[in-house]
Amino acid sequence: MRTVAVSLGNRSYPIFVGAGLLSAVGRFSAKMELGRRCAVLSDDRVAGLYAKPVLAALRSSGFEPRLICVPPGETSKSLKMVQTACDQLAAHRLERKSFIVALGGGVVGDLAGFLAAIYLRGIPFVQVPTTLLAQVDSSVGGKVGVNLKAGKNLVGAFHQPRFVLCDLRTLRSLPPREFRAGLAEVIKYGIICDAPLFARLERGLSRLLRRDTKILAEVVARCCALKAEVVRQDETETGLRAILNFGHTIGHAIENISGYGKYLHGEAISIGQVAAAKLSTALTGLPPDDAARIERLFLRAGLPAAITLSAPARSRLLAAMQLDKKVSAGEIKFVLARRIGQVEPGHKVPPALIEKVLAPPRPAAIRPVLRRLGEGGN
Ligand SMILES: NC(=O)c1ccc[n+]([C@@H]2O[C@H](COP(=O)([O-])OP(=O)(O)OC[C@H]3O[C@@H](n4cnc5c(N)ncnc54)[C@H](O)[C@@H]3O)[C@@H](O)[C@H]2O)c1
Ligand SMILES: [Zn+2]
């Protein structure tokens, strides 16, 4: 087992990474001076796979857990679900020292964390992330919340968990598409702050895609350590934490205009990161070779690197970017790369350039024909 520390003064906590850790959730909780009653919040799919061992582990350490299930999917991150779940917490008589265990992906983690932030003005909670995205990203850092009709994550809080337990074995049951989507965040860490990790991913990608536990342990722990360091330096996102949004301005806009659900978040930010790499080549001197390596790695991971959009859809995409939560005073600011492993937030990008990097490349084969017809040109 690997342990990564998140250092935030009296809100510090450990992240445990290893195979077969679910059965240790009771033992770790017992060390935290928590009340006996607790709630395990999960979604129906994850609960069907993993609730039994988690409940058994908690019981054998003397806890009294109550399972609360929500339907799988983003729609469960709603204020309506908050109300329903709060009623269930009250029915189970959870009190100030009671705690919530978030067992599932980012949806469950964000919802359970938000419940823990507001129920009785805040009770402890524990993250047991079961998707790759949740293990390397959403379970670390304390951002919790739910969606409104007007947009994603518009109601929320900062509430840090007491510990995070990443059981790599749970990743084996993850649908391949969900696993690959998580890899988009993993690759992101390499691009934004860890060139050796990026090279490690290039070398070890096929083992990762086979979900080899050894490389997963190394990579998940490294990503958690990187996120922990960014969060330590900027817990409430006033500066540095923005670098985690590399590829997300375009990615969020793609999710938005295509209707949430068509693209998984990881797929949308894969396209967004490839586009951001091209913008970086144009504006911040990212070597074209680095941009090509970035595109290649996403493609090898089975992720999309481009999106085909009609001209009106491209305009809608640009309009959607203006609505991004990260926009301040009407200006879209991009995180751009100088090289693999080094990015900077706060770059203004002309809309025309964004359109250009998103425009489909002219197929190479027809270029000579066009040129012969006198329509080509560069
Ligand atoms: N708080 C943050 O800092 C942060 C960061 C990134 C993303 N997020 C949020 O995370 C959410 C996305 O998280 P996600 O990608 O984990 O999606 P998710 O929670 O919806 O899980 C994806 C699907 O996988 C299933 N699943 C989960 N674990 C499984 C397993 N081990 N085996 C089989 N199936 C499994 C779920 O039932 C679900 O259908 C979004 O709501 C996003 O806003 C939050
Ligand atoms: Zn993301």
Side-chain angles (χ1 to χ4, degrees), residues 173-191:
S173 55
L174 203 57
R177 191 174 166 204
E178 295 285 351
F179 185 81
R180 288 194 296 266
L183 281 177
E185 302 282 3
V186 169
I187 295 170
K188 181 190 78 180
Y189 287 109
I191 300 170

Side-chain angles (χ1 to χ4, degrees), residues 43 45-46 49-50 72-74 77 104-108 110 130-131 133-134 137-140 143-144 147 152-153 170-175 178 185 227 241 265:
D43 72 35
R45 185 168 304 147
V46 177
L49 292 164
Y50 302 114
E74 194 65 35
K77 259 176 67 174
V107 163
V108 162
D110 283 10
T130 62
T131 64
L133 179 135
D137 189 0
S138 61
S139 67
V140 179
K143 272 199 199 177
V144 295
N147 305 326
K152 277 188 65 171
N153 302 319
T170 61
L171 299 180
R172 291 201 189 146
S173 55
L174 203 57
E178 295 285 351
E185 302 282 3
K227 177 139 188 198
R241 197 163 173 167
H265 174 70

Side-chain angles (χ1 to χ4, degrees), residues 192-226:
I192 64 174
C193 58
D194 192 345
L197 171 66
F198 190 90
R200 181 80 187 95
L201 296 172
E202 288 180 313
R203 289 194 310 276
L205 190 71
S206 29
R207 276 175 66 206
L208 258 183
L209 288 168
R210 284 199 304 274
R211 307 186 201 183
D212 172 289
T213 307
K214 227 169 134 205
I215 190 164
L216 265 178
E218 178 193 328
V219 165
V220 169
R222 182 68 190 150
C223 293
C224 287
L226 293 168

Side-chain angles (χ1 to χ4, degrees), residues 242-324:
I243 67 170
L244 297 168
N245 291 322
F246 181 74
H248 279 57
T249 308
I250 291 176
H252 284 152
I254 290 173
E255 290 179 272
N256 186 325
I257 65 153
S258 50
Y260 291 96
K262 180 166 191 288
Y263 288 99
L264 295 179
H265 174 70
E267 294 166 346
I269 63 153
S270 169
I271 299 166
Q273 290 181 78
V274 173
K278 289 177 183 161
L279 294 175
S280 304
T281 299
L283 297 173
T284 48
L286 178 74
D289 270 2
D290 279 15
R293 280 173 69 195
I294 289 170
E295 179 163 6
R296 215 177 306 130
L297 192 55
F298 283 111
L299 288 172
R300 281 180 60 209
L303 287 158
I307 184 169
T308 312
L309 292 171
S310 60
R314 267 205 300 283
S315 310
R316 282 207 306 280
L317 189 88
L318 284 174
M321 272 179 231
Q322 299 282 355
L323 297 174
D324 197 88

